[in-house]
Amino acid sequence: MIPDIPVATDPLRRVLVDFVANEVRKVGAERVVLGLSGGVDSGLAAFIAAEALGPQNVLGICMPYRTSSEESLSHAALVVEAIGIETMTVEITAQVDAYFAAFPDASQLRRGNKMARERMTILYDHSARWQALVLGTSNKTELLLGYGTLHGDMASALNPLGDLYKTQVWALAAAMGVPAPIVTKQPSADLWQGQTDEHELGFGYRDVDRLLYLMIDERYESAELEAAGFEKAFIDRVQSMVQGSQFKRRLPVIAKVSTRTIDRDFRYARDWGH
Amino acid sequence: MKGKFALGIAQIDPRLGDVEANLAIYEQTVREAVGRGVDLLVFPELSLTGYFLKDMVSTVALTAEAPALGRLRELSRDVALVAGLVEETPEYRFYNSAILFDAGEIRHVHRKVYPPTYGLFDELRYLARGSRVEAFDSRFGRAAMLLCEDMWHGSTAYIAAMDGALSLLVPSASPIQGLVRGDVPENAAYWQRLNAVTAESYGMFVIHANRVGFEDGIGFWGGSEVVGPSGEVLARAAYYEPDMIVAEISLAAARRKRIAAPMLRDENLDLTINELTRIRGRELAGVVRTLRRQTMAALAESPADERGASGRAKKASPRKRSRTSAAKTAVTNAKGTKQGKTRKPAAKARAARRR
């Protein structure tokens, strides 16, 4: 039995809370806005942000589509009640349905991506209205697997969870007091009824996190992963998902023609002057 | 020289690329240190400029005439201080440097000898590499400075100790890495072991001045510490937040430690130099072997008739032979010094070693 990956919840909480406070305030902002899905990632991100900036400086927006589950909304409400952050609900059904009226044959994938991008535009609109930064909630597992929508839920100004695997998110969420029903339920993107992450991915988060931790953090080669007890087919599948989604973790490629090209030989920290 | 002094560490959160803002932090911190009776105040690595500078290096670099250096000189009239900054030389080279200012003067400059360039570090892309680790005399006894990664090379603290340092001042910018188990990141736990073992190994004070704050999401863990010559932590700053710690350094503690455990006195510098010379010889011999292999391969590739028929080739061949035999001699000499693997009689090997 391969053990779960380690997680040190107390210092992680400290560092992630400091991270949000520091990176938000040093660019002259005080507030963040995030999408509240009712899931554990956005729940934990909201808890961290409320502790960092004060609940009055955190706006959690629920953006249900007509097929979104009632449970998602009620779980989002649990988060809002627990920490007292600002909240609002913005339905996305009208604009999504209006768009797909012109493309009635669109696949579920296209519809899911469109919804994720609708939600992104709403978050960025309210970030401008409220002088707030958009807080990302993608975890390391989904970022590595490419299990997210480019320019949709993957878009943000800062992300406290991007270096935490899903099982670490669960552990930290439990430690910080995110309500239990949110931590223990089956994760779902809730893009259509009955969808669950683990069913769609074809493997469990606990298994893939153990594999990713050894593959990425501990730099195990394929043969070493097999020796550690993972099936070759599983290793190959995950490796190809990580490789195939590399583009989602990078800025668009720029054709280099000048002597100094952005991000090639024009290199500055994002925190330049902050 | 003071046998006792108050050593302060200014664990600050500098602003990336903003020397003016960081000078203001230095000035405020110095005021606080003066109030707390500090004699020598150590600031973290690159704390006057920020750490992940990338293309900003040349913008924030200070030449010998830079007004900012004048302000640091002035500050050092109130308290001696070690500043971390980018130094620009007249040849337009940029160094990650720690500078000791005391009583209005620059007393010592250490240029980082091991700028890390792996993982999240990219220093050699932007900075030149220093080439000296040397101790220096000061009001606070003989001391040496290292910068962050320098300390992770065991040879540097050894050199400083052999050069007579009683205190090792180590400004650093150590990022949070491996926050997975325990209360501190894995690299912080290693730093603490390293500081303690170094201090106790050489019977000296180790002063590790780390920074805090975030740059592009990369946090610095702080936890600066003053470690005494028996490896004991005399003072340790808070983790993850700005802090100032003050510890009394009494050089008598180093004296007592060195009497009780005189390893440094017994240290055989000749042994080290001879063995390092032997090892360098082996590495040079490796280069000679490679050159020889390449020469032989080149000879084998050129057609035999060309070698025999052409006058030019004939002329050239004695030179080639002599080069080859010179290489052979060098290899044999080096091999002769290699213990255990030598095919020469032992007496001959000893003779070779004496050379």
Side-chain angles (χ1 to χ4, degrees):
Chain A
M1 177 72 192
I2 303 145
D4 269 346
I5 55 179
V7 52
T9 52
D10 286 355
L12 264 184
R13 175 183 192 161
R14 171 73 201 264
V15 168
L16 297 181
V17 166
D18 284 357
F19 160 81
V20 170
N22 185 297
E23 294 286 359
V24 168
R25 290 191 179 130
K26 78 177 160 198
V27 299
E30 276 297 322
R31 299 190 278 229
V32 295
V33 52
L34 78 160
L36 271 191
S37 69
V40 69
D41 298 309
S42 61
L44 176 59
F47 266 65
I48 291 169
E51 196 164 311
L53 306 168
Q56 74 283 5
N57 289 318
V58 180
L59 172 61
I61 307 183
C62 303
M63 296 169 282
Y65 179 67
R66 59 181 159 79
T67 59
S68 298
S69 77
E70 278 302 314
E71 191 187 76
S72 294
L73 277 176
S74 69
H75 284 171
L78 279 181
V79 170
V80 171
E81 277 166 35
I83 47 179
I85 59 172
E86 301 295 313
T87 188
M88 67 164 70
T89 298
V90 182
E91 292 262 357
I92 61 165
T93 306
Q95 55 264 51
V96 170
D97 284 355
Y99 177 79
F100 283 112
F103 305 99
D105 300 334
S107 64
Q108 273 190 329
L109 178 78
R110 284 175 62 190
R111 287 172 194 270
N113 281 339
K114 177 71 176 160
M115 288 176 216
R117 291 181 183 127
E118 280 302 325
R119 293 180 174 122
M120 178 276 293
T121 65
I122 291 163
L123 291 177
Y124 273 87
D125 178 51
H126 284 278
S127 102
R129 176 186 67 78
W130 213 42
Q131 289 99 52
L133 299 183
V134 173
L135 191 70
T137 65
S138 300
N139 61 58
K140 191 172 187 175
T141 309
E142 61 190 29
L143 286 174
L144 283 170
L145 297 176
Y147 192 57
T149 299
L150 187 60
H151 308 308
D153 52 305
M154 292 179 77
S156 69
L158 74 161
N159 177 356
L161 307 186
D163 209 12
L164 298 187
Y165 290 105
K166 186 76 175 190
T167 43
Q168 294 175 315
V169 167
W170 281 327
L172 185 58
M176 285 189 69
V178 175
I182 299 170
V183 182
T184 53
K185 72 176 173 181
Q186 267 287 320
S188 166
D190 198 17
L191 293 171
W192 55 85
Q193 277 168 324
Q195 183 191 24
T196 72
D197 292 4
E198 298 192 346
H199 181 258
E200 206 181 355
L201 289 166
F203 43 73
Y205 274 118
R206 287 195 189 278
D207 291 332
V208 77
D209 279 1
R210 289 181 190 118
L211 177 63
L212 284 170
Y213 180 74
L214 293 181
M215 185 188 287
I216 306 296
D217 295 57
E218 299 289 334
R219 298 173 193 266
Y220 276 41
E221 305 286 355
S222 285
E224 294 171 310
L225 291 168
E226 273 190 74
F230 292 98
E231 297 280 344
K232 187 169 186 318
F234 184 37
I235 300 166
D236 290 347
R237 165 120 199 272
V238 169
Q239 224 145 24
S240 79
M241 287 178 83
V242 172
Q243 200 177 327
S245 59
Q246 177 65 0
F247 72 97
K248 290 189 176 183
R249 296 181 291 269
R250 308 290 308 196
L251 289 174
V253 279
I254 291 176
K256 179 172 174 64
V257 291
S258 76
T259 53
R260 212 166 168 214
T261 307
I262 294 159
D263 268 1
R264 293 279 171 259
D265 21 43
F266 174 82
R267 295 175 175 237
Y268 289 90
R270 177 175 161 135
D271 286 352
W272 191 1
H274 297 295
Chain B
M1 189 188 94
K2 287 184 162 188
K4 273 188 188 175
F5 58 95
L7 184 289
I9 295 179
Q11 181 172 292
I12 63 171
D13 174 7
R15 199 175 163 94
L16 182 61
D18 193 340
V19 173
E20 193 54 41
N22 295 325
L23 267 174
I25 297 175
Y26 268 50
E27 283 162 351
Q28 190 192 333
T29 311
V30 162
R31 275 197 296 277
E32 186 191 336
V34 169
R36 293 178 62 177
V38 170
D39 297 305
L40 171 60
L41 183 63
V42 184
F43 284 88
E45 176 185 26
L46 292 178
S47 54
L48 199 67
T49 58
Y51 181 73
F52 287 104
L53 292 162
K54 304 186 181 201
D55 281 359
M56 270 185 278
V57 162
S58 54
T59 313
V60 301
L62 302 177
T63 63
E65 299 77 37
L69 288 188
R71 281 167 69 182
L72 292 173
R73 278 199 189 86
E74 284 313 303
L75 275 181
S76 75
R77 294 186 194 284
D78 298 330
V79 60
L81 64 98
V82 173
L85 49 84
V86 180
E87 180 198 356
E88 178 171 347
T89 70
E91 314 82 70
Y92 311 125
R93 283 193 200 156
F94 303 95
Y95 291 98
N96 177 346
S97 296
I99 304 184
L100 170 64
F101 295 83
D102 187 15
E105 296 299 331
I106 288 178
R107 300 291 179 186
H108 188 76
V109 178
H110 173 71
R111 295 170 172 170
K112 193 171 190 175
V113 291
Y114 288 112
T117 304
Y118 61 84
L120 78 170
F121 303 109
D122 211 5
E123 289 188 36
L124 276 175
R125 186 184 174 91
Y126 306 99
L127 294 157
R129 196 156 92 150
S131 54
R132 304 294 299 267
V133 173
E134 50 188 338
F136 53 92
D137 290 314
S138 76
R139 284 200 287 141
F140 312 102
R142 199 162 168 79
M145 297 197 283
L146 298 176
L147 276 162
C148 204
E149 183 87 0
D150 291 344
M151 181 75 171
W152 284 41
H153 291 256
S155 51
T156 55
Y158 175 80
I159 295 167
M162 292 310 286
D163 204 11
L166 296 172
S167 301
L168 194 58
L169 311 175
V170 193
S172 83
S174 179
I176 296 167
Q177 288 201 81
L179 190 55
V180 285
R181 295 179 188 86
D183 290 335
V184 296
E186 284 175 348
N187 60 333
Y190 176 66
W191 263 106
Q192 290 167 0
R193 295 196 298 275
L194 179 63
N195 293 340
V197 166
T198 303
E200 186 156 23
S201 296
Y202 302 123
M204 61 185 181
F205 291 89
V206 172
I207 292 99
H208 178 221
N210 192 21
R211 58 161 292 184
V212 291
F214 287 83
E215 290 182 2
D216 276 15
I218 298 168
F220 299 88
W221 53 271
S224 300
E225 61 184 10
V226 180
V227 183
S230 295
E232 73 281 21
V233 176
L234 300 176
R236 183 178 285 164
Y239 295 112
Y240 312 124
E241 61 190 42
D243 196 4
M244 182 187 290
I245 52 168
V246 183
E248 190 188 74
I249 302 260
S250 169
L251 294 179
R255 179 174 186 268
R256 285 192 295 273
K257 176 68 183 178
R258 288 178 181 204
I259 292 168
M263 269 77 81
L264 206 55
R265 176 200 70 191
D266 297 345
E267 184 64 26
N268 185 344
L269 198 53
D270 286 333
L271 172 85
T272 306
I273 291 170
N274 291 345
E275 290 302 300
L276 290 180
T277 306
R278 173 182 66 78
I279 291 162
R280 189 172 56 182
R282 193 175 64 196
E283 285 183 5
L284 286 176
V287 172
V288 171
R289 265 198 300 278
T290 305
L291 288 173
R292 181 165 173 250
R293 238 194 330 271
Q294 286 168 354
T295 309
M296 300 304 274
L299 276 174
E301 266 173 34
S302 59
D305 58 337
E306 205 178 285
R307 279 210 303 271
S310 148
R312 257 181 76 206
K314 255 181 193 166
K315 258 186 189 170
S317 61
R319 275 213 306 277
K320 274 175 189 161
R321 259 204 307 279
S322 76
R323 266 208 301 274
T324 310
S325 75
K328 219 175 204 168
T329 315
V331 170
T332 321
N333 276 347
K335 261 191 181 163
T337 65
K338 213 162 157 184
Q339 286 174 355
K341 286 189 183 165
T342 177
R343 267 172 276 164
K344 279 182 162 189
K348 260 191 175 173
R350 274 199 299 279
R353 218 175 296 144
R354 273 201 296 277
R355 278 205 294 274

